[in-house]
Amino acid sequence: MGRTILIVDDEESIRFTFDSFLSASGHKVTTTDTYASALESISTRDPDLIFADILLGAHSGIDLLREIKDRGLHCPVIMITGRPNVATAAEAVRLGAFDYLPKPVKKETVLNAARIALAHKALLDENDRSEKEKDRYRKLLQAVFRSVRDAIITVDTDMRIVDANDAVGSVCGMPAVNLVGRPFPEIPLECLQSCVEILKGALKTRRATRGHRIECRSSGGPKQVIEVNLSPLLDENTRFGGAVLLLHNMTRLDILERELEARSRFHGIIGRSREMQRIYRLLEDLARTDTTALITGESGTGKELVARALHYGGLRARKPMISVNCSALSESLLESELFGHVKGAFTGAVSSRMGRIEAAAGGTLFLDEIGEISPMIQIKLLRVLQEKTFERVGDVKPVKADIRIITATHHDLIEKVRQEQFREDLYYRLKVFEIGVPPLRDRLEDIPLLVDHFCERFNGTSGKTIRGVTDDVLRLFMDYRWPGNIRELEHAVEHAFVLCRDSVITMDHIPPEISRPADGEREVSVRKARHATSDVSREELVAGLEKSGWNKAKAARLLGMSRQTLYRLIGRHGIEGEDG
């Protein structure tokens, strides 16, 4: 690949000759005739090589050489002149000229000089890249060493501490500056002494050792569970120079893992449809903010699951999420539940009680069916949103409300605003961002996934081993309108589990209100059913397979049939796809 070469000479014939020689060899050549134009050229681009004449009018090639050196450019400079003498040659070499060629210059001489100079430039570039990469890597390691939350201690072969990061102070209870330079076994900390035998073994074998868990208590603090990992410390020539200890606090890791796993199972949202993908993207955008969100949708669509996904995927995930169903409580009970009360606030208030807002401190308050709250509760909730404070029932002392509020409703709140049943200012405070959860009838392709999910769940709770549903049942589920949405589907599968004594759920196990739809729904079913029966055409099969990228499981869900039926139809029609 050609390189960029700059020719600086006030003789047009020389510029033309050099341009011809070097361009023919595949190089990109730029020519200038003055010192000023040469400076302009190197200011806008960084050439790989410069040929410069000694004499350039009022300036000289030596001046250009000085400027290149001052700018710190790495490009080699070959000086050319028609009046060679020892003084100018010596000055050029002293200033860093790569070579010095007298005129007239033969083609072979120019090309050979360019080849050697460009090879030198490539070596310089590679060294420069290597040094920059080493410097970047060195700074990165220093940044990691300083900022990592695990304690890092390096020791030499004599177990003397060479370095330690700031996290040692929080993990081991002693500042890093008090450790460096001291023999490891002599550090007056009981917790570090637990690491001595592990360290001795690692220094003896010169091998990494990982996963040692020790219990320790630093400086009279609480008991900790620390995982000790050691790695050999090698220099650039792979000579052994000691060991690196990484001390990781594992005290709460198992608890957190169990909590996260439970949350994932309980709060997981099932669905791969386009509508659900849209919601997933919204959840990703909203999760890392404290924005107030309003979740809308029909009853049973999973609005609370969306709220939990917002909470547990967000900034407040380690704090509580408190849920309140606003439609299930009277005004007075809801007021007490939300804001709490003090002793004697009303008849029966024999002691003070913390409200849900206070219980959610630092976390999220989820208010389901927000459209049901009374005007008085609306005013109080508006104050929480505006001033971030509230008062307990029967008290005048303001309490700080550090919470994120997420609400949900199946009502048309804007219509309630028009009817003056809901405050407009509260509506816009709650609806900073709205997430509309689609009804199940608008995401039919998710039904097979949901059925599998519920079957797996009920297998675990019922002790049964039911593989799934028949094609007829799946077809029925795909045709049904699901006025109760996902909750109705869940209850239908649970109903079938109670009745099913075989390994597959059949039509006999389905609730009658679903298995025997009204006439209008039956007509819809007849029009749709052919997409899940053996009457489906070859063209429809191929279209479904192509749309799913020839993924058989996806194609079966898209066409509303089981994989067994799909395979049977593929064989019947003799379809050979991308995988066969």
Side-chain angles (χ1 to χ4, degrees), residues 335-342 353-362 365 377 379-403 405:
E335 180 185 21
S336 178
E337 281 293 316
L338 287 178
F339 304 103
H341 61 258
V342 296
R353 181 183 178 187
M354 177 189 295
R356 301 292 184 93
I357 294 176
E358 198 169 353
L365 178 67
I377 300 294
I379 294 173
K380 288 199 165 191
L381 184 58
L382 183 62
R383 181 186 176 189
V384 174
L385 289 165
Q386 290 178 332
E387 302 177 17
K388 302 297 182 183
T389 61
F390 68 95
E391 295 171 0
R392 301 182 184 95
V393 178
D395 197 3
V396 294
K397 181 181 178 181
V399 180
K400 183 176 176 59
D402 175 23
I403 55 173
I405 293 181

Side-chain angles (χ1 to χ4, degrees), residues 158-230:
D158 296 324
M159 296 185 69
R160 186 175 297 275
I161 297 176
V162 178
D163 205 351
N165 69 342
D166 294 340
V168 168
S170 60
V171 176
C172 301
M174 179 177 285
V177 294
N178 295 346
L179 299 178
V180 176
R182 302 175 65 177
F184 195 94
E186 296 179 11
I187 300 300
L189 287 176
E190 183 179 344
C191 62
L192 285 183
Q193 296 307 309
S194 303
C195 304
V196 171
E197 294 303 318
I198 302 174
L199 179 58
K200 285 181 179 178
L203 292 175
K204 183 177 181 179
T205 62
R206 299 187 177 186
R207 293 179 180 177
T209 176
R210 303 185 182 282
H212 293 279
R213 291 199 179 188
I214 61 173
E215 291 188 6
C216 63
R217 180 177 279 107
S218 62
S219 300
K223 185 176 69 173
Q224 302 179 106
V225 177
I226 302 295
E227 182 180 83
V228 182
N229 298 299
L230 294 100

Side-chain angles (χ1 to χ4, degrees), residues 60-200:
S60 70
I62 298 296
D63 295 329
L64 181 61
L65 192 59
R66 287 195 184 96
E67 183 66 25
I68 291 171
K69 183 178 180 181
D70 291 343
R71 295 189 182 192
L73 301 180
H74 290 162
C75 60
V77 180
I78 298 176
M79 308 302 298
I80 51 178
T81 183
R83 300 177 183 178
N85 60 70
V86 174
T88 55
E91 178 68 4
V93 171
R94 185 183 69 80
L95 290 172
F98 184 78
D99 205 348
Y100 187 89
L101 302 179
K103 297 178 183 179
V105 181
K106 296 181 179 179
K107 178 179 180 180
E108 292 77 10
T109 304
V110 172
L111 296 180
N112 189 55
R115 180 180 57 79
I116 296 173
L118 290 172
H120 178 71
K121 174 63 163 53
L123 183 61
L124 290 177
D125 289 345
E126 182 59 32
N127 288 340
D128 186 53
R129 281 193 295 270
S130 178
E131 287 302 317
K132 287 181 178 178
E133 182 63 21
K134 287 181 180 179
D135 185 61
R136 187 191 69 82
Y137 186 63
R138 196 160 40 242
K139 290 179 179 177
L140 177 63
L141 286 180
Q142 290 173 350
V144 171
F145 191 73
R146 288 193 303 268
S147 63
V148 71
R149 299 175 68 178
D150 293 333
I152 302 176
I153 302 174
T154 59
V155 299
D156 60 20
T157 53
D158 296 324
M159 296 185 69
R160 186 175 297 275
I161 297 176
V162 178
D163 205 351
N165 69 342
D166 294 340
V168 168
S170 60
V171 176
C172 301
M174 179 177 285
V177 294
N178 295 346
L179 299 178
V180 176
R182 302 175 65 177
F184 195 94
E186 296 179 11
I187 300 300
L189 287 176
E190 183 179 344
C191 62
L192 285 183
Q193 296 307 309
S194 303
C195 304
V196 171
E197 294 303 318
I198 302 174
L199 179 58
K200 285 181 179 178

Side-chain angles (χ1 to χ4, degrees), residues 12 33 71 123 133 187 238 358 465 467 490 503 529 568:
E12 183 178 0
D33 58 353
R71 295 189 182 192
L123 183 61
E133 182 63 21
I187 300 300
T238 67
E358 198 169 353
T465 305
R467 297 197 307 271
E490 179 183 5
S503 60
R568 186 170 64 251

